[in-house]
Structures are given as C-alpha cells and as structure tokens.
Amino acid sequence: MATIAGCSFLRLSPQFGDEAKGERLKTMQQSPNYADGQFHNTVPTNMDIGFSGYMKLLHTQIFGENDEQLPGRPIPYLPVKAATTNSVQDTATVVTWLGHSAFMVEIDGKRLLLDPMLGDIASPLSFIGPRRFAPLPITAADLPPIDAVLISHDHYDHLDYGSIKDLNEKTGHFYVALGVGAHLERWGVPAEKITEMDWWQEATLQGLTFAATPSRHFSGRGLTDRMGTLWTSWVIIGREDRVFFSGDSGYFSGFAEIGEKYGPFDITLLECGQYNELWQNIHMMPEQTVQAHLDLKGKLLMPIHRGAFSLAMHSWTDPIQRVTKRAAELKVPITTPLIGEPVLLHRAAPHTKWWRP
C-alpha cells in the first residue's frame, strides 16, 4: 500500500515533472545512447557505492564527520539589479554566477540562463532537503526577458519547478536534453518553445550555436525514473567567444573529445563540488576539474556547483581551496567571483578569495 501511495503522489505532484510518452518517447528510443529502457554514459560508470559505502554515508549523516559543510556566517555577494540588466550587453561576453550551477550569460546581444535553479530548496518537498545557504543575487521574477534557457539535466538542484514557472513567460526558448521537455510541458511551457537534443546535436538561435555534448552523470526526479531522461553538457558558440558549461559530470575522456571538436573555449564553467570518493564516477574531484579544463583547451576556468547548497560531506570551502591550489600548480588562469559578480571575458576576471573568514 505504501508503494502504491508513493507512486500516486509522484504522479499527482507537479514537482516531479512527467514521463515521456508518444513521439517524444519514440525519439528517445532511437538515440544511440538509449538501450534497455534508459540512457547510458559513453564510458562504463558504476554508481553502486556498495554496502560499506552506504554504512559510511549513514555514519556521516548521523554523527556528522564534518561540521563545516555550512559556512555559519553570511556569504558575501553582489546583488544583480534588474534595472541594470534591461539592456543586453553586446560588446562583450558577460558571465554572471547566480550560485551553485546557475548562470546568466550575455553574448552577442543575447541573454541566456544556464541551469537556473533559483529556488530555496533542492527538493520536491518544501519541508525536507538541502536549503540554499548563500543569498540569491536576483530572483526569477525580477530577471529581465531571457532569450534562451539551457538545462543540463533534471536533478532538483539544476531543474527547479518554481523557477521554470516564473521564467516561462519571459523566456523565448528552452533547450534541454532528450526527455526533459516532458517536465517542462507539464509545468506549462508550450511545446513550440522547447527543443530537445541528443549528444552532438546542434541548434542555432539568431547567430548563436548551441551544441549538446556528453557528460558522465545520470538523471531522475522520482523513485523509478533513474536515467530515464538524458543529461548533457553545453557548448555555446558566438561570433568570437566560446563557452563550455559542464552541468554535472564525473571526469572522463569525453572532455578531450569535446575539446578537439569545439575548443578552444574562452571560459569553461566546470563542476567542482558535491563530490566524494564513493561517487567520483559522476562528480569530479577538484583536481580533475582542472584537468578537464585542460582537456577542453580552456583559457579561463570557473569552478561551479558549489557555494549555495550542501549536497555532500566535504566542507563548503574544500572545493575552492583545492581547485585554486591545483590551478596555481599548473598555471591555469582561474576566476573566483562573488555570487552575482560579473566576469567580462578578456577584460575582467575577479579572483578575490572571498570564502576566507
């Protein structure tokens, strides 16, 4: 009975999204990355942490091996004023971090949002789950018109029901991985505003090119839909600048393949947080983040997937401390802006150590 009740709740609650059916499902099934009812990574990816891993995870959750997972103090940030974003920057590429993996990117006179999780909790339930510990520099409701939203995958810390509802009317188009469109349509986004893409497919928007490229991860919003939709990284190609956005990914040979096909990149926005040796196949360690940047032929590295939610057992400063140390060792240019602080490509790349007490 409990299982039946749980499945009924998943179907009734819009937070969980929807499953692919009809022509959408047929398209997914035709993907070379789809087999046996689910999508697969390009390299073998074992996500089973084993019994000892579960025991270690349970012990950490009960006894709290790390008391620095949350900052315990106000996080400095720079508010993004809605009034200053009414006119789109067209003389430079501007990348503004909104916390975790959410970004606003202004390029060639277009305004894009990447994984705009702008809610307070990364969970389908308002009373349980990881809560935002850093200020949000601008709300979804206060954002100006958006030309396009790019979504990497359907996990709650990347695809947020409330944010999509607030962004729907002000967004021109949504670009997502195969199957993710079903969630958006359930939330009121018209089908004609959604483009679903498989790995290595490209789409254009008024001079910009978006390429969906592989990542090493998984998907799922409920109890029974793991790997039911595709996960992806994104390549954004403008007139002069190229941006790489990793979404979530473990380290794999795909970074070098993407670098060969689409690099060099003027900036790489690369996962660096929420890792553990128990699941390093699907979340990179900070040192691997720097190597992925080199594989991609990146020029400027920005570590992401940190600084807003605690989804792993490491301290909240561990990712940035380790990645900046490795970047310095390999002489890799890195930018570490405040949440809300813009990075102007080729002009201004903030590198203050704001995470220090």
Side-chain angles (χ1 to χ4, degrees):
M1 289 297 292
T3 302
I4 295 173
C7 292
S8 297
F9 174 66
L10 297 187
R11 287 195 296 269
L12 291 174
S13 175
Q15 290 273 6
F16 292 95
D18 203 358
E19 62 181 16
K21 308 178 189 70
E23 291 301 316
R24 173 177 282 117
L25 181 58
K26 290 181 181 179
T27 299
M28 293 163 55
Q29 292 169 336
Q30 293 169 359
S31 168
N33 309 300
Y34 190 93
D36 302 320
Q38 62 182 19
F39 287 99
H40 296 265
N41 284 294
T42 60
V43 297
T45 303
N46 183 7
M47 291 182 285
D48 182 8
I49 66 176
F51 179 76
S52 62
Y54 278 113
M55 290 298 99
K56 181 178 180 180
L57 183 60
L58 182 63
H59 182 275
T60 301
Q61 291 176 334
I62 294 175
F63 297 103
E65 292 182 356
N66 189 341
D67 60 0
E68 297 180 345
Q69 287 177 235
L70 300 177
R73 62 179 175 85
I75 299 296
Y77 76 109
L78 189 65
V80 177
K81 301 296 185 182
T84 65
T85 60
N86 285 334
S87 58
V88 184
Q89 172 63 250
D90 61 0
T91 59
T93 298
V94 182
V95 178
T96 305
W97 185 37
L98 305 180
H100 199 58
S101 296
F103 282 87
M104 180 169 65
V105 176
E106 297 168 272
I107 180 171
D108 296 353
K110 308 297 183 298
R111 183 183 292 112
L112 315 175
L113 290 181
L114 313 181
D115 281 7
M117 196 304 179
L118 305 177
D120 293 328
I121 184 167
S123 167
L125 305 173
S126 61
F127 54 87
I128 188 170
R131 291 192 173 274
R132 185 181 296 274
F133 63 74
L136 188 64
I138 189 170
T139 66
D142 287 338
L143 278 166
I146 305 299
D147 292 289
V149 167
L150 280 64
I151 302 292
S152 65
H153 64 298
D154 69 3
H155 285 161
Y156 290 96
D157 57 321
H158 295 261
L159 178 61
D160 178 58
Y161 166 70
S163 300
I164 297 299
K165 294 286 287 187
D166 286 340
L167 292 168
N168 185 9
E169 291 190 4
K170 65 177 63 179
T171 298
H173 207 82
F174 292 82
Y175 295 87
V176 301
L178 289 178
V180 178
H183 301 321
L184 271 58
E185 283 193 41
R186 184 177 185 187
W187 300 340
V189 179
E192 60 270 20
K193 287 175 57 172
I194 303 171
T195 296
E196 297 183 59
M197 297 168 62
D198 202 350
W199 292 334
W200 304 115
Q201 289 184 339
E202 297 181 1
T204 58
L205 175 70
Q206 301 176 37
L208 294 178
T209 296
F210 305 135
T213 44
S215 65
R216 190 186 188 191
H217 200 55
F218 69 108
S219 64
R221 292 178 73 84
L223 300 175
T224 61
D225 63 342
R226 174 180 270 203
M227 307 183 89
T229 63
L230 188 61
W231 49 98
T232 190
S233 55
W234 288 103
V235 170
I236 302 168
I237 303 174
R239 290 191 300 266
E240 297 181 1
D241 294 326
R242 294 184 175 222
V243 178
F244 178 80
F245 174 64
S246 69
D248 282 359
S249 182
Y251 181 76
F252 73 132
S253 58
F255 290 122
E257 189 176 3
I258 296 167
E260 285 296 322
K261 184 174 177 63
Y262 289 112
F265 292 98
D266 296 276
I267 188 170
T268 63
L269 312 175
L270 281 171
E271 176 193 297
C272 181
Q274 323 315 324
Y275 48 78
N276 189 282
E277 70 275 7
L278 295 176
W279 53 81
Q280 61 181 313
N281 283 340
I282 54 174
H283 285 297
M284 285 187 284
M285 299 293 186
E287 296 76 18
Q288 294 175 318
T289 298
V290 180
Q291 185 57 53
H293 171 83
L294 294 172
D295 293 351
L296 289 160
K297 303 180 180 180
K299 299 176 183 178
L300 178 66
L301 166 63
M302 181 170 173
I304 67 173
H305 204 233
R306 59 184 185 86
F309 297 98
S310 177
L311 306 173
M313 290 92 81
H314 57 67
S315 72
W316 78 278
T317 57
D318 191 62
I320 193 64
Q321 290 171 339
R322 288 173 58 177
V323 76
T324 51
K325 177 183 178 182
R326 187 57 175 163
E329 291 171 350
L330 297 181
K331 296 181 172 55
V332 168
I334 189 171
T335 184
T336 57
L338 298 172
I339 293 175
E341 184 176 16
V343 175
L344 279 69
L345 287 192
H346 317 299
R347 301 185 190 184
H351 53 271
T352 55
K353 295 178 173 58
W354 56 267
W355 56 90
R356 293 182 174 177

